[in-house]
Amino acid sequence: MTTAATVSESAGSSEGNAGGISPYTLSHLDALESEAVHIFREVAGEFERPVILFSGGKDSIVMLHLALKAFAPAAIPFTLLHVDTGHNFPEVLEYRDRTVEKHGLRLHVASVQDYIDRGVLKERPDGTRNPLQTLPLTEKIQSERFDAVFGGGRRDEEKARAKERVFSLRDEFSQWDPRRQRPELWQLYNGRHAPGEHVRVFPLSNWTELDVWQYIAREGIELPDIYFAHEREVFQRAGMWLTAGEWGGPKDGETIEKRQVRYRTVGDMSCTGAVDSDASTLDAVIAEIAASRLTERGATRADDKVSEAAMEDRKREGYF
Amino acid sequence: MTSTTEPTEPLSVEQLSATTLLRFATAGSVDDGKSTLVGRLLHDSKSVLTDQLEAVERVSASRGQDTPDLALLTDGLRAEREQGITIDVAYRYFATARRRFILADTPGHVQYTRNMVTGASTADLAVVLVDARNGVIEQTRRHAAVAALLRVPHVVLAVNKMDLVEYKESVFAAIAEEFTAYASELGVPEITAIPISALAGDNVVDPSANMDWYGGPTVLEHLETVPVSHDLAHCHARLPVQYVIRPQTAEHPDYRGYAGQIAAGTFRVGDSVTVLPSGRTSKVSGIDLLGKAVDVAWTPQSVTLLLEDDIDISRGDLIVPSKDAPATTQDVEATVCHVADQPLTVGHRVLLKHGTRTVKAIVKDIPSRLTLDDLSLHPHPGQLVANDIGRVVIRTAEPLPLDSYADSRRTGAFILIDPADGTTLTAGMVGESFAAPQPVKDEADDDGWDF
């Protein structure tokens, strides 16, 4: 089940770093970890009802790991929220439930399928449910009165996200207004908000995809299997390898084949593509990413290619 | 030549993890070629990936441009692309075999001083760009002043467009001399001047064949080697308490830890400490570094301190060594940069966030406003508007343990917040300003105000 992290202990915070670095210099991973923990603790100190968006993807898994370290030996003072598109990878749902159980956490689920069944949301012609997540997410935030919502978004993912603050105020409609963001000075995060508003918090803002993978390797964090190379039945659509499923693939003219693939991101099955890969260990994955000439989203996300400002537009409406 | 380009063989996890992190900010006027420099750094360090470059090429071509506009890599918002200007700070990430970088890419327009302040507040280094044909201009002085004000430890003067002055050493030397004299006077501790052509690629990532007379590092080489460690020997140790960790479980019935990110200096097990503002004292009985017990911890590590005595400590308190405690005061004198659109006026009731503590405060006086161009002081301006830098006197509802910003960028900094709508109004730096030849006297001087 687990893909073990067989990576040797990395050079820690101090001694042994190459190049005659002062013993009081932190390695880049230690610096990022310390910053993220600081952010988790600020939220715990300033907000009443924080929640962590948890999808079972690698970024949210790293967030949960950081939160566990931030409050050890106490339990983390947050609940989890998953926006379930109804098109999730079964391996990821299994991982999600097992993790919630293991750490004795409480999981809220906002279900896109439920909204479709009730006729509130309509299935899109292209079958993708990623944009449909926004309404269930924002309604859940309002109904549960969450005042801080942790997201795993990283600024390196996308150019609109590069403009995102660590603490990002959202109005009562969960909207993001990139031109009216609070300047973020030093490490003095401003969490003030009115009733009905909430703050999106991004502890991994300054991490890159490679940082996330190096940290997973260093900390020996377990991931769902689909992040590692495996044989899978896939078919090709718009240049991406998609997994067949009840969500509407393959269509006529699309043929299923068996390939050795892995996923760089996990999201809705209808728009998250696999990449051809032999990387079956953490070391191999890191080597592959370090050498890759494609960004994570460029390689595997169809929904970002809709327009030049697709991410910005979705974020304005309340997407994470 | 040192290896600044992509390694030919993938690095091991250990090698990759041991690299350090440098945070730096760029500043330059509109046409100094800042976007080109940033684009060149990202591009030549192989940090622009194929799909990003393709997107830039596609958009450039659709606008009828012959060559890809590298500025499109950094202008992330619809409005920025439409107007061809950078509105807001963007953060960029790139890496070499030696170091990882977080670049705060700040807009150069004068009306966006607040954005440079934002970018510089967390930067270890600032790159100030000048056009070799124009030399040091007002905007250059402004950027140097902001870097000095924010006490950015290292400043790089990048003299750009050397290709347009025939790569002449005399042009570079004159500009470097003028800037270094000016910035040193402001108190910038370390200045490195580098002649470059961002467009042609001279001395950005690869050394220039056109400037044999220059023996110094390229921009990237300097970024890779500049020290980022703190000289902890002279730092006052400070831990703002963020959160009290009390598991209250069978396994840890009595655990009571004070969690926070060390803002300055080092803490060791056995240190005698004082908790401010209460003044209660105890000894450090243990330090947990994210679940692992250690004997010593230093800035900027996030830790949990355990104390020998069960004393009343909560979020907002500051733990300091007993032998090195700052004075507490309710009268704050500071240099501020106003970052909000609504003005700051005398009598304004605000919230002041310092470390992990937020207290009520009132603006008692605005003795002066600074003109960045010539560093002259305009007395009693009455108010500060967006992007103004000035001196303020603030009275707080509760005493605060304040360091001078000159001693600690973390515990000498604060922000003012509008209590009505939560807007971040002002960035504040406690203590004397480099630009205030005569510090404004205040009665608080008498009760131990130490700057």
Side-chain angles (χ1 to χ4, degrees), chain B residues 343-382:
Chain B
L344 187 76
T345 54
V346 174
H348 211 129
R349 287 179 187 279
V350 294
L351 295 170
L352 185 154
K353 184 172 185 186
H354 170 255
T356 53
R357 194 177 193 83
T358 304
V359 298
K360 288 183 183 174
I362 185 163
V363 179
K364 299 295 272 189
D365 192 14
I366 304 178
S368 60
R369 189 184 69 219
L370 177 70
T371 308
L372 271 178
D373 306 342
D374 59 0
L375 301 181
S376 66
L377 293 175
H378 181 286
H380 299 287

